[in-house]
C-alpha cells in the first residue's frame, strides 16, 4: 500500500477512473536530435487531451532502474514494487504469459541431463534449441495429476515455466535443483505445514516427467526451483474503495491485475479494438478500469521503431471511445520504457498524462517525452499516480484540520 | 526535525528570514484554459520579487493528499507533518480557532441525550441546529472550575471544542464517550500518572454540565473524547538557532506557531495591514518572522474567486513594506491550496517563491501556479523550505569536508 494513503482515508464516490497503460511507452530517438516513437506518432487525440491535463514523467522503481513489467505495473497500481517483489517462479510464469491465479503455485523449470544412475551431468541439457524445448513441453503437458491441473510453457532453450493449479496448495517448497552437477535431483520438500500436498504433486510430476523423457537425451529429466505464488496484496476494493476491472490480453498483466484484486474481464479478441469494446461494455459496472496495450512494447523490444509509432497511433485513434464515456479521471502512461533503439526495456522515465476536470492544466498541449518533462507533475514516482488519480476523482479525505 | 539538518548544523548569523504564508494560496481556473486566482491577480510587487527569486511548487504532505492547515503549517515550518500528527482534541480546538497554548488540554465534545437513568439514547442529541449548539455552549462557558480555565467553542450542530487551561494538566485521558448507545457516559480516567488532575477537572466539568443542561433535552448531556495537547516540538531556537516571531490573527495559526517555539506577537487589529505593522515594529527583535494571511483561504473556501483575487492583490500592495525592511531571505507560499472552484482545501501543490541575494534566479518573472511549475525549485516537499531558507540566509554549516 502506498504510504500516503495510511493517513488520508479513501472516501466513497461515484466517480470513474481509467488507467490506459501502453506497455513500454517511453522511447528514444533513433539518432541524436531526432524524435522518439511517441513524439513521431501523429496523436491528435492524445495531444488534445494533454492540453486539458497535467503531464509528467513517472519513475517506475527508482532512477536508473530498468523494471520488468511486473514491478512496473505494481508501481502504477500504487504498490511499492520493491516491498512487493514477485517470486521467481511466479515471474517466470507471468513472463511466459501463463494466466496466474491467486492460488496457483509456479516454478522455474529446466530440462537437464541425467546419467543412468540418475546423477545430473548437465543442468541445462546442453541448452537444447527452443523448438525442441517446445516439443518436449508438449509431452510434459500431457501428464495428468490427481486433483490438480498443470501448465507448462517454454521460455527459451531448456527453460520452461511450470504451474500447479488446485485447491490447498502451499508455496513453501524446496527446489529439486541441487545446483551442483554429479548430484541427483532432490525431492521437493514442504518447508511449512500446508505445502505438503503441493510437494507431493511436484514430486509426482517430476517422477512422470522422467519416465516420459527417458529416451529424449540430452533433455531426459527436469529440475524445478523458485516455487512461488503471486504476492498477496491488499486489493483495490480494500485499499482504494474501488470496484476495479482489468482489460488485458496477455497472461502476465491479467495475473498482476488479479493479484491487485481487479476483476479480469473477458476480451472478445486480442486487438486493442477488442479491449476498447470490453471497456465500453463494462463501463457501468466498475469504478476503475485498467486497460493494457501490449503492441507498443513488443515493437520496442523487436527494435521496430515504426511499428511502435503505428501502435501508438492506433491507440490514439481509439482514445475518443474512452473519452466518450466521460471518465472523471484518465491516466495515460506506461509500465516502463522500451526504446526501439535499445530493443529492450529501459530505465527512462515514462511519459504520463493525468486528465481530470480538477487538474491545474500545465498548458503543454503535446504528449511526448520532452513535453512531459516540461509538465506540471514534473518527475515523480509511479507509485504517486494512484493517490493523484484518487484525489482528482475526489476519493481521498483531508488529512488533519 | 527535518532530517536534512541532522547532518548540517545550523550556524549563527545576523541574517533575517521572512515567511509570508497566504493561507490556501494555490487555486484553479474557473474554466478550462483560464487563469487561477493568483494568475488573475495584479501582483506587480510579487512579480518583481519573483524575477529576483527562484520559484517552485511545494507539496505539503504528499502527492494527492489534501492537508488541513495544521499539517500544512507544520510542513512549512520544517516538521514532518505525518510524524508530528496533531491529536484529535487539539485539532478540533485549532479548527474552532481556539488559541491553544502548549499546556492546554483539548477534547472533542458532543452534546448528547441521556434518559432519566443517565443512559445515552442519542450520542449526537439529534444533531441539534448549530444555533442551539452555540446557545448551549454559552451555558457551558459559564461553568467555573477550581484552578483551571475552560473554553468551549461550537464547531457545528452537536459538536464543540473543549479546552482546559491550567498548571499541571496531563493529556493521557480516556474518553467519556462509551461509543455505544444505551450505556452511561464513562468517567474520564487518567491513563498515566500526571493526568489525574486533568481527569478530575474534566469529570467535574461533565458533572456540572449535566446539571446546567438538565432541562435542555435532547441536548441534556455532554461527551468528551480525543483528549490531546499540541504536539511537543523542538522549537525554532533549538532546531534552527532562530529567534522566531509569529504574526497571525486566528487561534489555529497562533497555536501551531507557539508549539514550534515562536513568540506569538500581539497584532493591533485583524487586517493584513495590522499584521504588517506588527512586523515592522518587531523587526529588530527577531531573526525569523512568520506572517499569516487568512483572507485568501476564507475566500477560496467560500468559492469566491474574485474575493480571493482581491485578497492576494491586497497582500501584493503591502509587500513593499516587507521588502523595505531588507530581509535576507523571503519565502512567499501557502500551507495548501484552496481553489475557489472547489470551495475547499485541495491537494494541488502550492506556488512558492524563495528570494535571497544568493538564489540562482530562474528568470521566471511572474508569481503563479504555471509560472512556479517552470521555476528552478521544481516540485518539492514543503519540508524542504526551511533548510533552503536557512541555507540562503547562510545559517547552515557545510556537511563533511
Amino acid at each position: 500500500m502506498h504510504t500516503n494513503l495510511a493517513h488520508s482515508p479513501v472516501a466513497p464516490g461515484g466517480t470513474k477512473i481509467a488507467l490506459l497503460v501502453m506497455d513500454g511507452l517511453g522511447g528514444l530517438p533513433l539518432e541524436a536530435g531526432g524524435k522518439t516513437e511517441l513524439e513521431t506518432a501523429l496523436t491528435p487525440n492524445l495531444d488534445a487531451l494533454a492540453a486539458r491535463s497535467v503531464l509528467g514523467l513517472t519513475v517506475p522503481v527508482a532512477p536508473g532502474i530498468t523494471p520488468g513489467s511486473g514491478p512496473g505495473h505494481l508501481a502504477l497500481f500504487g504498490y511499492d514494487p520493491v516491498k512487493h517483489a514477485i517470486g521467481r517462479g511466479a515471474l517466470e510464469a507471468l513472463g511466459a504469459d501463463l494466466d496466474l491465479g491467486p492460488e496457483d503455485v509456479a516454478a522455474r523449470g529446466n530440462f537437464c541431463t541425467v546419467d543412468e544412475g540418475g546423477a545430473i551431468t548437465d543442468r541445462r541439457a546442453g541448452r537444447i534449441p527452443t523448438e525442441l524445448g517446445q516439443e518436449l513441453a508438449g509431452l510434459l503437458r500431457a501428464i495428468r495429476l490427481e486433483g490438480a491441473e498443470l501448465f507448462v510453457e517454454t521460455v527459451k532453450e531448456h527453460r520452461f515455466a511450470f504451474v500447479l493449479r488446485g485447491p490447498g496448495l502451499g508455496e513453501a517448497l524446496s527446489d529439486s535443483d541441487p545446483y551442483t552437477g554429479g548430484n541427483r535431483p532432490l525431492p521437493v520438500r514442504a518447508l511449512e505445514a500446508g505445502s505438503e500436498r503441493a510437494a507431493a504433486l511436484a514430486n509426482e510430476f517430476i517422477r512422470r516427467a522422467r519416465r516420459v523423457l527417458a529416451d529424449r537425451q540430452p533433455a531426459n529429466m527436469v529440475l524445478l526451483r523458485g516455487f512461488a505464488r503471486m504476492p498477496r496484496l491488499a486489493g483495490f476494493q480494500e485499499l482504494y474503495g474501488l470496484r476495479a476491472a482489468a482489460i488485458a490480453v496477455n497472461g502476465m498483466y491479467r495475473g498482476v491485475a488479479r493479484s491487485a484484486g481487479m476483476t479480469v474481464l473477458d476480451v472478445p479478441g486480442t486487438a486493442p479494438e477488442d479491449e476498447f469494446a470490453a471497456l465500453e461494455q463494462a463501463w457501468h459496472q466498475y469504478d476503475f478500469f485498467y486497460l493494457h496495450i501490449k503492441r507498443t512494447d513488443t515493437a520496442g523490444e523487436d527494435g521496430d521503431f515504426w511499428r511502435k509509432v503505428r501502435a501508438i497511433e492506433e491507440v490514439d485513434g481509439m482514445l475518443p471511445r474512452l473519452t466518450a464515456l466521460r471518465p472523471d479521471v484518465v491516466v495515460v502512461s506506461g509500465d516502463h520504457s522500451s526504446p526501439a533503439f535499445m530493443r529492450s526495456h529501459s530505465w527512462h522515465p515514462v511519459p504520463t498524462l493525468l486528465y481530470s476536470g480538477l487538474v491545474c492544466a500545465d498548458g503543454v498541449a503535446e504528449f511526448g517525452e520532452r513535453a512531459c518533462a516540461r509538465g506540471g507533475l514534473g518527475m515523480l514516482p509511479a507509485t504517486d499516480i494512484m493517490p493523484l488519480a484518487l484525489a482528482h476523482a475526489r476519493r481521498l479525505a483531508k488529512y488533519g484540520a
Side-chain angles (χ1 to χ4, degrees), chain A:
Chain A
M1 173 182 182
H2 196 285
T3 49
N4 292 356
L5 303 180
H7 308 293
S8 286
V10 295
T15 50
K16 288 186 193 286
I17 301 170
L19 169 64
L20 172 58
V21 176
M22 284 189 262
D23 203 300
L25 177 61
L28 284 173
L30 288 180
E31 50 194 35
K35 290 182 172 183
T36 68
E37 298 91 321
L38 179 58
E39 290 168 347
T40 302
L42 291 174
T43 54
N45 297 307
L46 282 164
D47 294 345
L49 191 62
R52 299 155 63 202
S53 300
V54 63
L55 308 182
L57 290 170
T58 47
V59 178
V61 177
I65 305 301
T66 297
S69 289
H73 270 86
L74 287 179
L76 277 178
F77 294 162
Y79 303 92
D80 182 327
V82 174
K83 268 196 207 142
H84 301 283
I86 303 178
R88 293 165 67 96
L91 264 181
E92 193 82 337
L94 290 176
D97 229 16
L98 281 165
D99 202 349
L100 209 54
E103 299 299 319
D104 296 352
V105 177
R108 286 192 171 177
N110 271 17
F111 290 105
C112 68
T113 312
V114 293
D115 64 20
E116 284 179 10
I120 299 168
T121 56
D122 185 342
R123 286 183 60 251
R124 297 184 184 86
R127 293 191 183 276
I128 53 168
T130 302
E131 295 68 30
L132 177 56
Q134 286 167 333
E135 179 196 333
L136 299 178
L139 299 181
L140 298 182
R141 259 181 230 123
I143 293 172
R144 294 285 167 264
L145 298 173
E146 196 158 332
E149 283 183 276
L150 68 87
F151 302 86
V152 175
E153 199 63 55
T154 302
V155 174
K156 195 181 167 190
E157 300 172 342
H158 58 288
R159 281 172 56 195
F160 62 88
F162 171 74
V163 172
L164 281 173
R165 177 174 296 166
L169 302 181
E171 65 176 336
L173 299 172
S174 68
D175 298 344
S176 84
D177 190 337
Y179 294 99
T180 47
N183 293 325
R184 299 163 60 92
L186 302 170
V188 173
R189 284 172 300 110
L191 302 175
E192 283 177 15
S195 292
E196 294 86 355
R197 221 178 100 68
L201 287 163
N203 286 321
E204 177 64 12
F205 169 76
I206 293 169
R207 201 177 61 77
R208 300 224 198 160
R210 184 168 182 197
R211 206 185 303 161
V212 162
L213 299 171
D215 61 348
R216 302 306 297 250
Q217 192 142 344
N220 63 356
M221 181 49 169
V222 296
L223 296 171
L224 298 179
R225 61 200 161 105
F227 286 93
R229 280 201 295 234
M230 284 295 292
R232 287 159 188 275
L233 304 169
F236 264 47
Q237 178 73 56
E238 179 187 341
L239 274 185
Y240 306 133
L242 293 171
R243 296 169 302 164
I247 300 168
V249 172
N250 301 76
M252 165 138 205
Y253 314 98
R254 297 168 68 90
V256 177
R258 192 179 289 115
S259 77
M262 297 187 204
T263 300
V264 179
L265 301 183
D266 287 329
V267 181
T270 61
E273 62 181 27
D274 300 314
E275 297 185 279
F276 279 83
L279 175 74
E280 288 162 338
Q281 207 185 338
W283 186 251
H284 295 291
Q285 291 152 261
Y286 299 90
D287 310 308
F288 177 93
F289 295 85
Y290 152 58
L291 196 157
H292 177 260
I293 302 289
K294 180 65 182 168
R295 292 178 180 183
T296 36
D297 180 59
T298 314
E301 294 209 61
D302 288 348
D304 193 332
F305 186 95
W306 290 101
R307 181 148 56 85
K308 188 169 169 190
V309 168
R310 286 194 303 275
I312 294 166
E313 291 177 345
E314 183 182 22
V315 174
D316 185 76
M318 283 174 214
L319 193 69
R321 293 175 65 174
L322 167 56
T323 49
L325 299 168
R326 306 185 68 78
D328 298 279
V329 174
V330 178
V331 176
V332 184
S333 186
D335 53 342
H336 56 78
S337 293
S338 283
F341 182 68
M342 292 179 66
R343 297 179 169 270
S344 67
H345 290 205
S346 80
W347 60 88
H348 299 87
V350 184
T352 298
L353 168 164
L354 173 71
Y355 161 79
S356 136
L358 299 177
V359 295
C360 192
D362 48 31
V364 180
E366 180 199 342
F367 190 48
E369 283 79 355
R370 269 69 70 104
C372 287
R374 301 193 307 271
L377 288 176
M379 182 105 74
L380 74 168
T383 46
D384 284 344
I385 290 298
M386 276 306 299
L388 284 169
L390 289 166
H392 285 84
R394 293 184 182 266
R395 283 177 172 268
L396 280 188
K398 187 161 75 168
Y399 172 61

